[in-house]
Each structure stands twice: as C-alpha cells, then as structure tokens.
Amino acid sequence: MLSRLNLLTRHLSRPRAFGSFPSVPSSPTLVPRPGPPAMTSAHAKPIHTAACLIIGDEVLGGKTIDTNSPFLAKFCFSLGIQLKRVEVIPDDEEDIIEAVRRMSSHYDFVVTSGGIGPTHDDITYSSIAKAFGLKLHLHQAAFERMKKLSKPHPMQPNFDWDTPSPGLTAKLRMVELPFDPQIPAEQQAVFVADDMWVPIAVVNGNVHILPGVPRLFERLLLSLKPALIPRLSDPEGKGTFRFLFSTPLPESAVAPYLTELAAKVEPRGVKVGSYPRWGKKRNTVTLVGTDKAFLESLVREVEEGVQGKQVSREDELDPAGPDQVYSQ
C-alpha cells in the first residue's frame, strides 16, 4: 500500500474531464437512491452533522497512522459542524458499500479517505458507485488536468498519454468516477485548487471522496471550505467554542455539580465535559457550544462550582515541580 500512496502523492500534487471512455458497469441489482443535490447546487441541503469513513487495510494493520480523521474533526469543530461518527474499515467492497450507504442516510456531510489510487486494492470509487447503483465514467476534465499537471515516473521513460498501456490503465483508475446521469456533471466532481488535478467526487449529494494521503486530504478539505460555509447553520462560520477550566478537585468531587450544570445548559446546546489528567495535580472541565455570549456568562459560575479557573490550555496552571498522582 505504501507504493500506492507514493504514486498517488506524485500524481495528485502536480497541472488536468465525464468522457468517451467505456464505463464500468455496476451491480445490476442496485437501484440509485434519491439524495439531496450535490454541494454546488443552490438548493443543497444544509449541513449540521458529519461523518468520516477511513478506508484502508494499512490503517487497520497498524502500518499507517490515521491523521485525517483528527484533522477533519478540528475542521468540523471550527465550522460548527457536529462530527458524529468516525469509522475505519478495510479495503473491502461489502464493508465500503454498507458503511457509505448508512452514513449517507444519517449525516449531512460525509467524507471518505483512502482507496482512490491506481492499484488493484484501490476500490473506493467502484464500491461507492455500486452502493448507489451508479456506473463509473472517465471524468474527462480530470484526465486532461492529470495530463497537464503530472509527469510520468522516471522509471516509465516510454510512457505516452495517447498510447494504451498497463501504466495508462492504472492512471485512468484514478479518474473513473461514479456518475449519476440525473445530476449535472459539474455537481458530481469539484475542482477546488488550480494546481491539483484530483477532483472531490460527490456522490448521492453528500458523500465526498478524498484521497488518503494526509497533505492532499488536508489541502482539498481546506479548499472545500468556501463551498460549505453557505450551507452551515451559522453561515458566518463562527464555528463552535470550547471553554477550558482547570480544577484541583478530583472528578468524583465535581461530578454532582457538573451533572446539575449539564442538565441546565443542555437546552441551550451546550455540552459539559470532564477529563482527568492522569499523573497531574489538576483536571480539566470543558464547556462546548456555539453561543459564545452564553458560554461567557457561565464562566464565573463554573469557576466557583469546580473551585478552579478558566484557562487557555490544560497545562496552564500546572506546578513547575513533579506532579503527584491523586485518586479521581
């Protein structure tokens, strides 16, 4: 899988359309499910919730550490989108089909990561196409951008874009995307960066297919932000706020107060959290919500309730000397 990632990195980071190449048929037993318009539609569904599907045997096998779901979590938090689920599954067609169907039906914004390279185990495009009863078509614009922005590997000196070859077939796998003839093509594959040929394929209106290479995943996701902001519950993009409180009390001591506080603020969309810091003298309490003014109004009460202080980072009030472990 490492060679796949290296190849994908080389090709996606350089300057290149659904076209005339033969399509790959999907399962005849599957019927396209109706879904909301793609993200570029003026009537696209508002985004409140999100889910992330990490696809790759290498992650489950411990060969690669997943950094894409933490990045997506921070991205969603900054926009006020509630990331509700993160799953890691293998490069297995049945697993991909089941997971992507379920996530698409339950969440507004679904992001997949991995499995869109040139090798035999890169089956994300074909599996997601089957999940929604679609066929794969060559995306001509992506192919043209690929030819313009990428260069053949030095170990392929005789490679030619116009001559059929196993190498060309492998490259075409990366631009054969799920295609729904009932939706405008420009809403099904979106280019978000002029110097990258890879598009973000959008399926069933809310499934966004991204590469697993972290630097590509991160750049594409950040470049997608302007298209997402108009669909947020807070179009101004104020996002979600997290207030931190450092307390010297053990969790068992603050638990009764936090239980009462959580019940009181829950109707205002605020979540209360309590986090032990093992081996440290101070623990952390958090308030998370989208109404900054309301959160600010709670600061003094929470400081008194946990006998602590609002901080900008968890270790702000840690003593300079060695810590002693206390019971929680």
Side-chain angles (χ1 to χ4, degrees):
M1 191 66 74
L2 182 59
S3 60
R4 180 188 72 177
L5 295 178
N6 289 337
L7 179 58
L8 187 57
T9 301
R10 280 197 305 273
H11 289 297
L12 299 192
S13 58
R14 289 190 165 273
R16 290 159 210 245
F18 287 107
S20 59
F21 285 76
S23 63
V24 180
S26 62
S27 170
T29 61
L30 297 176
V31 178
R33 301 185 322 125
M39 69 176 185
T40 54
S41 170
H43 304 290
K45 181 180 177 182
I47 296 175
H48 300 284
T49 61
C52 179
L53 185 62
I54 304 297
I55 303 168
D57 293 335
E58 69 274 19
V59 177
L60 291 170
K63 186 175 184 295
T64 300
I65 297 175
D66 167 40
T67 62
N68 290 341
S69 61
F71 185 87
L72 177 65
K74 295 176 181 178
F75 177 81
C76 289
F77 189 90
S78 71
L79 294 177
I81 301 172
Q82 298 182 48
L83 181 60
K84 292 287 191 178
R85 182 172 295 274
V86 174
E87 294 185 20
V88 182
I89 62 174
D91 295 293
D92 178 85
E93 182 177 273
E94 291 186 4
D95 286 339
I96 296 172
I97 290 174
E98 185 281 325
V100 76
R101 279 178 172 171
R102 171 169 42 81
M103 286 185 169
S104 181
S105 67
H106 284 82
Y107 308 105
D108 305 321
F109 179 56
V110 178
V111 175
T112 75
S113 164
I116 60 172
T119 59
H120 71 285
D121 53 350
D122 291 306
I123 60 172
T124 295
Y125 282 145
S126 61
S127 299
I128 292 180
K130 286 186 178 182
F132 300 105
L134 304 176
K135 295 181 179 180
L136 293 179
H137 280 273
L138 180 80
H139 193 283
Q140 194 64 37
F143 183 48
E144 293 303 319
R145 288 167 69 103
M146 175 192 284
K147 290 191 289 184
K148 179 181 178 181
L149 292 164
S150 65
K151 296 180 180 179
H153 191 277
M155 297 300 290
Q156 295 177 306
N158 298 320
F159 177 83
D160 183 80
W161 289 106
D162 299 317
T163 303
S165 66
L168 178 59
T169 299
K171 287 177 170 57
L172 290 176
R173 286 173 58 88
M174 296 186 285
V175 287
E176 290 174 341
L177 312 181
F179 179 67
D180 186 340
Q182 299 179 5
I183 299 176
E186 64 272 14
Q187 295 182 15
Q188 301 185 59
V190 182
F191 296 102
V192 294
D194 291 339
D195 61 343
M196 299 180 72
W197 64 259
V198 62
I200 297 178
V202 184
V203 180
N204 205 40
N206 63 350
V207 177
H208 301 71
I209 308 173
L210 273 69
V213 180
R215 70 182 182 86
L216 302 177
F217 179 93
E218 293 172 10
R219 185 166 179 221
L220 288 169
L221 190 62
L222 290 174
S223 299
L224 185 62
K225 182 177 177 179
L228 299 179
I229 288 179
R231 299 173 55 194
L232 303 179
S233 55
D234 172 19
E236 295 182 6
K238 295 178 181 177
T240 306
F241 301 94
R242 179 185 288 115
F243 284 27
L244 302 176
F245 299 85
S246 178
T247 173
L249 300 179
E251 281 198 302
S252 55
V254 297
Y257 166 69
L258 295 183
T259 300
E260 294 179 3
L261 177 65
K264 182 176 74 171
V265 300
E266 189 274 337
R268 298 289 297 270
V270 175
K271 289 189 175 182
V272 179
S274 177
Y275 304 95
R277 299 177 62 230
W278 299 104
K280 303 295 182 180
K281 291 182 178 181
R282 305 184 70 89
N283 295 318
T284 302
V285 168
T286 65
L287 299 181
V288 176
T290 58
D291 188 337
K292 186 177 182 181
F294 179 62
L295 292 175
E296 290 174 339
S297 73
L298 296 171
V299 170
R300 178 169 296 184
E301 174 193 337
V302 175
E303 288 181 332
E304 293 177 357
V306 302
Q307 297 180 29
K309 183 179 179 181
Q310 184 184 10
V311 293
S312 58
R313 64 179 193 278
E314 286 189 298
D315 62 354
E316 186 175 313
L317 299 181
D318 284 354
D323 284 335
Q324 177 179 345
V325 178
Y326 290 98
S327 169
Q328 295 301 311

